[in-house]
C-alpha cells in the first residue's frame, strides 16, 4: 500500500469496508483523504451495500489536518470541503457503521456522526475542540450531534469543550455498544443488516433522513414495498415458519 493512499476500500459480496489509512497522523483528515473518500462514496453509490468504516491503528480519526486547515480561507469555508463529503457519507443508500477506537475528534468526530451507527472500544473519545482553534465545527456537528445526543449534551461538547469517553457516549446514545473488538462487533451489526430487505432499508433510511413530518412519504414508500416480490417471499416464509 503506497503512502499516498489514505483510504483503503475493500469490497466484499455484501458490504464495503472503508479504512482510514494515516495511522502515523492518527488518521487526520487531509485533502487527499477527502478526495479518496469521495471516490469511495462514488463506488458505493454505483453498487450500494452497507459500509463498515474504521481507522487503521489506535485511532479512528484525530481531526482535520491542522497544517492544511490553517491555510484555508473564506472561499474554502464557503465551498464546504469537509461538510459536503460528510453529507455525502450520511446520504449513502444503505446503512453505515463506524467502528471507533481512540480519538474521534473534530472532523473525525463529524465523520462518525455522519454514519448511521457507531460501535466504540473503551479507548474511544469523541469531541469537537474547534473553538479552541478559533473555528467552529462546521462539517455537520451543529445539526447532527443534537439529533444524536440531544441539545443539552451537544452544547456541552460544542460550547463547553466536553469530550465524551466511550461510557458517556453510550449513555448519551451516541454509540450502540462498547466492546474490545469494535471491528468484529461492527461486522456483526452488518450481518444483521444484510439479512433484511435492501430496498426496505434504503427507503427507511431515506425517510429517517428527511426533515420534518412526512407521513405521505411513508405511505408512498410503503406502497412501493407492498408491490415487491421480496415482500411476498419474506412474509410467506415467515408464515410458513410459524406453521
Amino acid at each position: 500500500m503506497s503512502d499516498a493512499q489514505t483510504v483503503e476500500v475493500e469490497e466484499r459480496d455484501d458490504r464495503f469496508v472503508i479504512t482510514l489509512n494515516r495511522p502515523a497522523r492518527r488518521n487526520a483528515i487531509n485533502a487527499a483523504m477527502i478526495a479518496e473518500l469521495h471516490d469511495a462514496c462514488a463506488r458505493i453509490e454505483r453498487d450500494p451495500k452497507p459500509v463498515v468504516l474504521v481507522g487503521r491503528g489506535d485511532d479512528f480519526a484525530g481531526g482535520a489536518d491542522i497544517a492544511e486547515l490553517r491555510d484555508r480561507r473564506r472561499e474554502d469555508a464557503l465551498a464546504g470541503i469537509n461538510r459536503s463529503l460528510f453529507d455525502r457519507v450520511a446520504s449513502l443508500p444503505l446503512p453505515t457503521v463506524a467502528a471507533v477506537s481512540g480519538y474521534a475528534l473534530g472532523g473525525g468526530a463529524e465523520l462518525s456522526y455522519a454514519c448511521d451507527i457507531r460501535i466504540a472500544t473503551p479507548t474511544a473519545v469523541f469531541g469537537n475542540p474547534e473553538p479552541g482553534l478559533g473555528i467552529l465545527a462546521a462539517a455537520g456537528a451543529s445539526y447532527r450531534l443534537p439529533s444524536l445526543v440531544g441539545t443539552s449534551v451537544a452544547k456541552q461538547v460544542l460550547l463547553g469543550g466536553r469530550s465524551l469517553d466511550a461510557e458517556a457516549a453510550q449513555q448519551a446514545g451516541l454509540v450502540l455498544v462498547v466492546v474490545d473488538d469494535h471491528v468484529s462487533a461492527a461486522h456483526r451489526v452488518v450481518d444483521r443488516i444484510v439479512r433484511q430487505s435492501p430496498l426496505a432499508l434504503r427507503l427507511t433510511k431515506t425517510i429517517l433522513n428527511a426533515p420534518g413530518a412526512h407521513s405521505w412519504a411513508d405511505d408512498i414508500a410503503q406502497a412501493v414495498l407492498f408491490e415487491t416480490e421480496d415482500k411476498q417471499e419474506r412474509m410467506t416464509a415467515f408464515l410458513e415458519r410459524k406453521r
Side-chain angles (χ1 to χ4, degrees):
M1 184 178 300
S2 71
D3 187 56
Q5 186 177 359
T6 67
V7 175
E8 178 185 352
V9 180
E10 178 190 356
E11 182 174 5
R12 303 185 184 178
D13 289 340
D14 59 358
R15 71 197 67 184
F16 284 95
V17 181
I18 309 297
T19 304
L20 308 180
N21 185 42
R22 296 186 75 205
R25 300 287 183 137
R26 291 181 171 171
N27 300 314
I29 300 170
N30 63 357
M33 185 180 286
I34 292 287
E36 291 180 34
L37 284 171
H38 272 298
D39 290 342
C41 286
R43 184 172 170 183
I44 296 164
E45 289 159 356
R46 288 193 299 269
D47 183 17
K49 297 174 184 178
V51 174
V52 172
L53 178 63
V54 64
R56 187 174 302 284
D58 295 332
D59 300 292
F60 179 74
D65 191 301
I66 302 301
E68 289 188 2
L69 198 60
R70 183 181 59 182
D71 292 333
R72 290 185 185 175
R73 294 296 183 263
R74 176 178 57 194
E75 293 77 11
D76 300 306
L78 293 175
I81 295 171
N82 288 19
R83 179 201 51 75
S84 61
L85 170 67
F86 300 163
D87 285 352
R88 190 174 187 180
V89 170
S91 297
L92 288 172
L94 288 171
T96 54
V97 182
V100 179
S101 64
Y103 288 121
L105 301 177
E110 290 178 298
L111 177 56
S112 77
Y113 304 157
C115 293
D116 298 306
I117 298 169
R118 284 149 296 280
I119 307 291
T121 69
T123 67
V125 178
F126 299 84
N128 288 97
E130 285 89 342
L133 296 169
I135 59 174
L136 60 86
S142 64
Y143 49 92
R144 287 199 181 95
L145 191 58
S147 69
L148 292 170
V149 301
T151 301
S152 177
V153 174
K155 286 184 175 181
Q156 293 170 35
V157 173
L158 298 175
L159 301 179
R162 178 187 179 189
S163 295
L164 300 177
D165 61 19
E167 181 181 2
Q170 185 177 27
Q171 290 175 347
L174 183 61
V175 303
L176 171 64
V177 66
V178 178
V179 291
D180 290 327
D181 190 345
H182 57 316
V183 177
S184 293
H187 280 290
R188 287 194 295 272
V189 172
V190 174
D191 289 341
R192 295 198 299 270
I193 288 170
V194 298
R195 290 195 291 268
Q196 302 180 70
S197 160
L199 182 58
L201 287 170
R202 188 167 183 169
L203 291 176
T204 299
K205 180 170 177 175
T206 300
I207 293 292
L208 280 170
N209 285 345
H214 35 63
S215 56
W216 59 272
D218 295 52
D219 292 343
I220 292 171
Q222 191 75 296
V224 170
L225 293 168
F226 273 6
E227 297 298 320
T228 62
E229 290 185 14
D230 190 36
K231 172 250 190 181
Q232 295 294 331
E233 292 171 358
R234 287 173 179 272
M235 290 194 175
T236 298
F238 175 83
L239 291 171
E240 289 177 349
R241 286 195 300 271
K242 291 209 62 170
R243 294 195 197 101

